Amino acid sequence: MNLFDRFIALFSSPSEAFEGLNENPLPTSQIIISLSISILVSALMSFWVFTTPEIKREIFNLQKEKIEQSVADGKMSQSDADIAIAQIESFSEGSFGTIITVVSSVIMATGWFFLLALYFLLVGKFFGSVENYTFSVTLSAIAVLTLFYSLISLVSSAMVIIAGTLNTNLGPVLLLSDFDTKNTIHKMIVSADLLVWFYMFLMMLGFKITSKSSWQVSALIILIPYLLVKAYQIFF
């Protein structure tokens, strides 16, 4: 099965998308194709989102609120806050800010691709039961997963643009009439993105099959880092 056959299998029989990768990893050319698609989608979606006036204003207001809170907490003087707010507004309104945002998204997409493959490799060596668990195998699994994540990015970005806010996704947050960025419950609700959770399931499945580990181990290896990051975002 080639890269796109495995991508299609994610929707019909997910386990088949990862089976056989240990014996026959994807060719380097197909891994590059997956990475290239990820980079292209990341660049286009970040440009699309960041150049939407409503989203730009929302991002600016969030940053402004943080600075104002720092002033209220005595961590920053009002004069320094005014300068920082002016710099943020200039950055968001200028083309340089858009360029930086797009470039940053490309760097993050590339870095995430290889870091996730390296993470699979390291934990697979310790917790898996495959004697020769190679980087090419984990890169192959991540290449398949990355195509699905690119699809998520397209859908999520479209929803953000349509709704005019970053706080929307395919999940229970759609039932909220007014999202409060300071409400912990609301932040927990917005974290319940059904597409992301399905992606997490696919990650667990991909790791389980390629490393031949148990469901319990796969779930812990994937969910613990994810939940720690989410807890930090929600409570801090």
Side-chain angles (χ1 to χ4, degrees):
M1 296 175 67
N2 62 32
L3 173 67
F4 295 102
D5 290 334
R6 292 182 181 278
F7 169 70
I8 294 173
L10 291 174
F11 302 93
S12 57
S13 181
S15 60
E16 292 183 6
F18 303 102
E19 289 175 354
L21 287 178
N22 293 85
E23 295 77 19
N24 296 296
L26 293 174
T28 302
S29 58
Q30 293 188 21
I31 293 174
I32 292 175
I33 288 173
S34 176
L35 177 58
S36 299
I37 291 174
S38 174
I39 290 173
L40 179 61
V41 169
S42 297
L44 291 176
M45 293 305 101
S46 62
F47 177 81
W48 189 22
V49 170
F50 191 77
T51 54
T52 301
E54 295 86 354
I55 305 300
K56 290 175 69 173
R57 181 51 52 182
E58 181 180 33
I59 294 173
F60 171 75
N61 288 336
L62 288 173
Q63 294 173 323
K64 182 179 178 181
E65 287 177 7
K66 290 181 180 179
I67 293 174
E68 291 174 344
Q69 187 61 49
S70 295
V71 174
D73 294 339
K75 298 178 180 179
M76 181 182 290
S77 67
Q78 186 59 56
S79 59
D80 289 339
D82 292 338
I83 294 173
I85 291 173
Q87 290 175 337
I88 292 172
E89 187 167 21
S90 175
F91 179 83
S92 63
E93 294 298 331
S95 58
F96 182 71
T98 302
I99 294 172
I100 292 297
T101 301
V102 172
V103 172
S104 298
S105 68
V106 169
I107 293 174
M108 289 180 63
T110 304
W112 177 248
F113 188 93
F114 290 103
L115 284 175
L116 192 54
L118 181 60
Y119 178 69
F120 268 39
L121 178 65
L122 294 177
V123 294
K125 291 285 189 180
F126 283 98
F127 301 105
S129 58
V130 177
E131 292 185 3
N132 190 26
Y133 195 50
T134 65
F135 195 45
S136 61
V137 173
T138 60
L139 280 173
S140 298
I142 299 307
V144 177
L145 289 166
T146 296
L147 282 187
F148 183 78
Y149 191 78
S150 296
L151 177 62
I152 289 179
S153 298
L154 288 170
V155 175
S156 299
S157 297
M159 293 184 69
V160 164
I161 297 299
I162 293 171
T165 175
L166 292 171
N167 298 305
T168 189
N169 55 55
L170 189 61
V173 70
L174 295 174
L175 301 176
L176 292 178
S177 58
D178 187 20
F179 184 85
D180 183 0
T181 57
K182 297 181 180 180
N183 188 310
T184 301
I185 300 299
H186 285 194
K187 288 193 286 185
M188 292 175 68
I189 291 174
V190 80
S191 297
D193 186 337
L194 299 182
L195 288 176
V196 171
W197 278 102
F198 184 58
Y199 172 66
M200 300 301 294
F201 164 74
L202 293 177
M203 287 181 68
M204 288 185 279
L205 182 63
F207 179 79
K208 175 184 179 298
I209 292 175
T210 56
S211 67
K212 295 183 180 180
S213 58
S214 66
W215 268 115
Q216 293 86 344
V217 169
S218 300
L220 289 174
I221 284 172
I222 300 302
L223 289 180
I224 287 178
Y226 175 75
L227 292 177
L228 287 175
V229 171
K230 280 300 175 183
Y232 179 82
Q233 292 174 342
I234 292 171
F235 297 105
F236 300 98

